[in-house]
Amino acid sequence: MSVFRDSVALITGAGSGIGRHLALLLAAEGAKIAALDLRPDGLASLAAELAGKPIATAVADVTDVVALRAAVAELEGTLGPTDLLIASAGVGRGTPATAWRAEDVNAVLNVNLLGVVNSIDAVLPGMRQRRRGHLVVLSSLASYRGMPHMAAYSASKAGCNALCDSLRVELAPEGIAVTTVCPGWVRTPMTTAIGIPDGVMVPVGPAAQIIVRAIRRRQAFLSFPAGMAWQAWLMRNLPRPVGDWMAGLLLRRIQALQARG
Ligand code: NAD
């Protein structure tokens, strides 16, 4: 029997991409899905696809902690307390130095970092009371070092890694696991807009399967695909001039791929 059977999985950003596919996989294994997103359309189509299975949906903004707490309380009222939080809501806007605006940087940090803080806030007191639970945060390989044109995104995801590392140590004695997930490029609506060809991207279905496997094992950290993860590791750990050179090379490669369409 699946470890997810009859458990309640709260997924932020469940209306699209990775969050949506995780919802479908977990529902197939018998989990009750508490799906939350800013946009109602994705939630409605997810609920239609999971018709007949236990699912509750809520439209809420993860940057609004008061509204988020209320939405999670409502979802838990319908399905029961959250066993598993998957914080997948995120935005992928570029913030190049040539068009630097504090508002753009703040917007990315607000959703990708503070939105995770708020999501954890909405479930952690209950998990601590029950002395069980699992927090899963969608970070990124872009967290390994500041990537050019992605300063805000990289900073937000590096912040997520730090949050997870701190909480993992503190919460282990309370029976609560913490998993940091660092994917490379995954083909979703977020990355479609970037204009990179399919060959470079992991399709979202297999990506979600890899993530579910790590969640099942209550793994501390997951990065994939292996080649990209190695590249990111080298960029972070080689002497800075070499890492900077590699990051510049990667930027030019991405720009060339985008130009080719
Ligand atoms: P996506 O755009 O397909 O889905 C993101 C979802 O988050 C959307 O449904 C959106 O409505 C929701 N969302 C955005 N802002 C929100 C807010 N303020 N409140 C509530 N919901 C909000 O993107 P995705 O590719 O599935 O990304 C999921 C997560 O994985 C993100 O955190 C992203 O940074 C991370 N990630 C994605 C990739 C990739 O290549 N796709 C790689 C690494 C990490």
Side-chain angles (χ1 to χ4, degrees), residues 93-118:
R93 187 178 313 161
T95 49
T98 48
W100 192 261
R101 282 180 74 242
E103 290 86 344
D104 297 337
V105 174
N106 290 347
V108 174
L109 293 172
N110 251 327
V111 180
N112 292 4
L113 179 56
L114 299 180
V116 171
V117 172
N118 295 341

Side-chain angles (χ1 to χ4, degrees), residues 13 16-18 37-39 60-62 88-90 111 138-140 153 157 183-186 188-191:
S16 175
I18 296 171
D37 205 290
L38 186 60
R39 293 175 38 216
D61 185 339
V62 294
S88 188
V111 180
L138 264 293
S139 179
S140 166
Y153 188 79
K157 297 301 187 180
W185 297 109
V186 178
T188 68
M190 181 184 283
T191 47

Side-chain angles (χ1 to χ4, degrees), residues 25-107:
L25 289 179
L26 293 173
E29 294 206 28
K32 302 175 193 172
I33 305 299
L36 187 142
D37 205 290
L38 186 60
R39 293 175 38 216
D41 47 343
L43 290 177
S45 80
L46 177 68
E49 198 165 343
L50 291 179
K53 294 209 158 78
I55 175 166
T57 63
V59 176
D61 185 339
V62 294
T63 68
D64 180 344
V65 70
V66 176
L68 184 62
R69 282 190 194 124
V72 170
E74 206 177 307
L75 290 168
E76 291 192 334
T78 308
L79 295 176
T82 304
D83 298 296
L84 168 66
L85 164 71
I86 302 178
S88 188
V91 289
R93 187 178 313 161
T95 49
T98 48
W100 192 261
R101 282 180 74 242
E103 290 86 344
D104 297 337
V105 174
N106 290 347

